Amino acid sequence: MPIGTTLTKFLLEEQRRYPDSTGNFTSLFSDLVIAGKILSREVNRAGLADILGATGDKNTHGEEVQKLDEFANSAIIRTMEHGGHLSAMASEEMEDIIKVDSKYPKGNYLLLFDPLDGSSNIDVNISVGTIFSIIKCDNGCDVSTKDFLQAGAEQVCAGYILYGSSTMLVYTTGHGVHGFTLDPSVGEFLLSHENIRIPEKGKIYSINEGNSRHWLPGTSMYIEKLKANEKGPSARYVGSLVADFHRNLLKGGIFLYPADKKSKNGKLRLLYEANPLSFIVEQAGGKSTTGDKRILDIVPDELHQRVPLIIGSKLDVEEAESFWKYQEAR
Ligand code: P6P
């Protein structure tokens, strides 16, 4: 498709590939795009509105809730709940699933999302992002938490919206990874990166070296090996998952948030962080693992479970995996 094609047109072209499609998914995705445009506006004016800073509340994980976090969470729920395509949603900001109110029609999709990942960076104007995952629910509208506990390989769609120097939406439905850049002057996401492929090997590694005192031996050995190499990679770590992932997706590289002595399952969440990014990276030719297991094969036990995440260029991830035999029992 030509550069500059609108996301709406791209989605309709995608839909035409399936003669028996109902258009439900396209409509669902279009609602999500509206939420992304709303969040882009708010994130880009956060410094002006009384929307910076923390609310003083804590989220389900005891983390400080930033005002924009709260706005993003409710904006997505409000935009998505009446479309008639979802039975329920799950948000990083909320302990329990959000069932679509009975006053609205329901559909057979479930939406999982991290409304504003990296939100601690908001006040210092560092890129943040929304991450989303769409799965099917088989039993119609009688949905419960267990319907969300599907392996990442079951995802219908995964994507993220990066609020950076420009706002980009990147997604996959299993037919490649495609990137769209928001043109605020027309209020449309325009095709800018069709069929993104991650380089097989990169020159960037991303890990919080401040945690090195907690690292297990395999992690330490791998990072030391990278550093010992004369032509080794550069370190790049924003502390905002979507920003670090997106840079590595386009340029090649590896992002690691491994299990360590302090966090036996790492920090990042399986269902609405690791799974969607893993679907994307595999569709782009990359790899995503816990160090021992393919992320997309993990059958979740709970909605907000954490998982170690090593994700990026295929050869880089495979090299990291070769060191995981040295990890002591956690
Ligand atoms: P640390 C942001 O809080 C986040 O969830 C991700 O966006 C980011 O990759 C990670 O945590 C950073 O965590 O412990 O390195 O500050």
Side-chain angles (χ1 to χ4, degrees), residues 117-118 120 208 211 237 239-242 244 255 257 267-268 273:
D117 179 77
S120 53
N208 183 342
N211 291 331
Y237 192 76
S240 187
L241 175 59
V242 179
D244 281 316
F255 173 96
Y257 211 109
K267 172 182 182 183
L268 301 174
E273 290 176 336

Side-chain angles (χ1 to χ4, degrees), residues 176-291:
V177 178
H178 310 293
F180 299 79
T181 301
L182 182 65
D183 180 340
S185 66
V186 297
E188 279 285 359
F189 280 99
L190 305 179
L191 182 63
S192 53
H193 301 70
E194 185 171 11
N195 202 22
I196 297 172
R197 303 294 294 170
I198 186 169
E200 208 178 25
K201 186 148 183 58
K203 292 188 170 60
I204 293 170
Y205 75 97
S206 309
I207 191 169
N208 183 342
E209 305 234 18
N211 291 331
S212 57
R213 60 188 175 285
H214 305 303
W215 289 348
L216 297 169
T219 307
S220 304
M221 291 166 70
Y222 171 60
I223 298 299
E224 286 318 309
K225 189 259 175 196
L226 294 183
K227 291 176 161 180
N229 180 345
E230 277 301 308
K231 295 180 180 159
S234 297
R236 292 288 184 274
Y237 192 76
V238 175
S240 187
L241 175 59
V242 179
D244 281 316
F245 175 81
H246 183 72
R247 179 202 53 241
N248 293 356
L249 180 71
L250 296 188
K251 291 181 173 291
I254 184 169
F255 173 96
L256 306 97
Y257 211 109
D260 62 24
K261 296 167 198 158
K262 187 181 68 167
S263 324
K264 71 178 180 55
N265 289 314
K267 172 182 182 183
L268 301 174
R269 309 289 177 172
L270 174 60
L271 284 176
Y272 40 77
E273 290 176 336
N275 273 345
L277 298 185
S278 299
F279 188 11
I280 289 170
V281 87
E282 288 199 0
Q283 280 291 308
K287 201 166 181 183
S288 184
T289 174
T290 62

Side-chain angles (χ1 to χ4, degrees), residues 106-138:
K106 293 188 180 162
N108 289 331
Y109 289 105
L110 302 176
L111 173 68
L112 301 100
F113 59 94
D114 183 352
L116 214 58
D117 179 77
S119 53
S120 53
N121 291 307
I122 292 169
D123 288 359
V124 292
N125 206 15
I126 288 175
S127 302
V128 292
T130 300
I131 312 173
F132 59 88
S133 171
I134 299 171
I135 57 178
K136 298 281 280 186
C137 64
D138 297 332

Side-chain angles (χ1 to χ4, degrees), residues 11-12 14-16 18-33 79-80 82-87 105-111 134-137 140-141 156-157 173:
L11 286 170
L12 289 172
E14 274 242 310
Q15 181 185 311
R16 286 198 187 106
Y18 306 97
D20 57 352
S21 72
T22 62
N24 263 333
F25 172 78
T26 302
S27 176
L28 161 59
F29 199 91
S30 302
D31 289 346
L32 197 53
V33 170
T79 309
M80 301 307 295
H82 58 274
H85 312 297
L86 296 174
S87 279
K106 293 188 180 162
N108 289 331
Y109 289 105
L110 302 176
L111 173 68
I134 299 171
I135 57 178
K136 298 281 280 186
C137 64
C141 301
V156 171
C157 172
T173 56

